[in-house]
Amino acid sequence: MGEYFHSVILEDDKCIGCTNCIKRCPTEAIRVKNGKARIIKERCIDCGECIRICPQHAKNSITDPIESIKDFKYKIALPAPSLLGQFDENTDPKKILSALKSIGFDEVFEVSRGADIVSNYTRELLKNPSKLPLISSSCPAIVRLIQIRFPSLIDHIVPIESPMEVAAMLARQKSVQKTGLSPEDIGIFFISPCPAKITSVKNPIGNFHSNVDRIISIKSVYPLIKKNLKKDLQNDETEFYDSGKAIGWARSGGETFSLNIQDYLCVDGIENVIKILDEIENDKLKNIKFVECLACINGCVGGSLTVENAFVARNRIRKLSQKYMKEKEIQLNKTIKDFLLKEKILPKNVRKLDDNIIEAMKKMEKIDYINSLLPDLDCGACGSPSCRALAEDIVLGYSNLDDCMIIFRDKVNALLSKKKNASKKNTD
Ligand code: SF4
Ligand code: SF4
């Protein structure tokens, strides 16, 4: 199996080692050593928090170039609903989609079509749930967080493909019928608000391969759409899928709203999500049926690859969602089985202390001991996100005790006073 692909990368030359990012990483995946940050790949969930916080723009996300449109005979743009929130609410959604198509696509197929289908089947699952609460699988950063930090909650994850995957599958089937081309000649381009979705295309969760072929960020198509909005696109036949409920998925609370249930929680922002997952793990949320967890504040409109202020975009999505609120009839020749995940989601064992259990336990004891020597300030000046993380780094051989500024300072002070005492004795 090839190396796990991460969309989030560090541009080494831009990093000044300021340590701003290490404290914001929810999985303690960043270290700063020798004046440069480094991402511990196994721990990264591609949430994009470090992209947002870095003052030097040293963290970035790998996407496909727009020119890759040329790689396919028939090209379909698959925009996330959050794209609509990037434009003024008076801009007709159809115009936005037409302008997107005119970049070089043959067709636009919105992810919101997949969202309505996922909502339908989640409602079905909720009638006879295997676990409660069910946890939404729509945010891949959260699914990966659960794999890494909350493996006991894996069985709570809704085992249905994401709206993006469902939409990509339907778009390909439809265009094969329409064009007579083979499926490989059709390129599905997801227009993404966040790096986590990019990673989930390259390393699908719960499936063998993704239905998406390429990913382009919202921020890279935004200026092109903006430019094309001015063109007269009146004769364009681009369809707009006017489902208010599906558009609402772009903001926190949108998915839950579409389920028509009462006992739910909507949580956005990775730190808030961690607190709620802790509560579920400790069996404290007994009466809750469904939990929508989104890594970005405000939901997908807050993704690090969008351009508009997340609060502004969220409000626009709210208004659009209300404007097009109606029950959409979904006619599909399929059942829930066609959309279930094909593989079991498995826990991710990150940074194992040792393959040998006895050795691992010894190392754990050592970590506890070193941690007891550290000042418990979690200042991050050592380049590790917390004193406990530094203790672990020391035991694993990545750091040493002198990386702690306080210990180093005390050591220097002790040496200086020893020297002073010695020279005083000599003069006496
Ligand atoms: S925030 Fe992190 S990546 Fe950015 S400059 Fe500071 S240490 Fe480097
Ligand atoms: S993308 Fe998220 S998990 Fe990965 S290094 Fe950045 S902050 Fe940490």
Side-chain angles (χ1 to χ4, degrees), residues 54-73:
C54 177
Q56 301 297 315
H57 307 290
K59 295 270 176 41
N60 215 329
S61 174
I62 305 175
T63 55
D64 291 306
I66 292 182
E67 296 72 46
S68 60
I69 293 178
K70 294 186 201 117
D71 297 348
F72 297 89
K73 286 188 185 154

Side-chain angles (χ1 to χ4, degrees), residues 334-351:
K334 295 190 186 296
T335 69
I336 188 168
K337 279 193 184 146
D338 297 303
F339 301 104
L340 289 176
L341 297 178
K342 310 286 178 293
E343 274 188 317
K344 199 172 158 37
I345 301 174
L346 296 172
K348 295 260 174 212
N349 199 350
V350 293
R351 245 186 162 194

Side-chain angles (χ1 to χ4, degrees), residues 8 24-27 29-30 39 43-50:
V8 175
R24 282 293 283 270
C25 175
T27 55
I30 309 175
I39 300 174
R43 285 195 176 174
C44 175
I45 58 170
D46 292 278
C47 65
E49 282 294 310
C50 55

Side-chain angles (χ1 to χ4, degrees), residues 75-95:
K75 308 104 182 164
I76 304 173
L78 204 75
S82 43
L83 176 73
L84 301 180
Q86 308 305 303
F87 298 87
D88 183 270
E89 54 255 53
N90 298 320
T91 313
D92 181 355
K94 191 176 169 209
K95 255 197 139 185

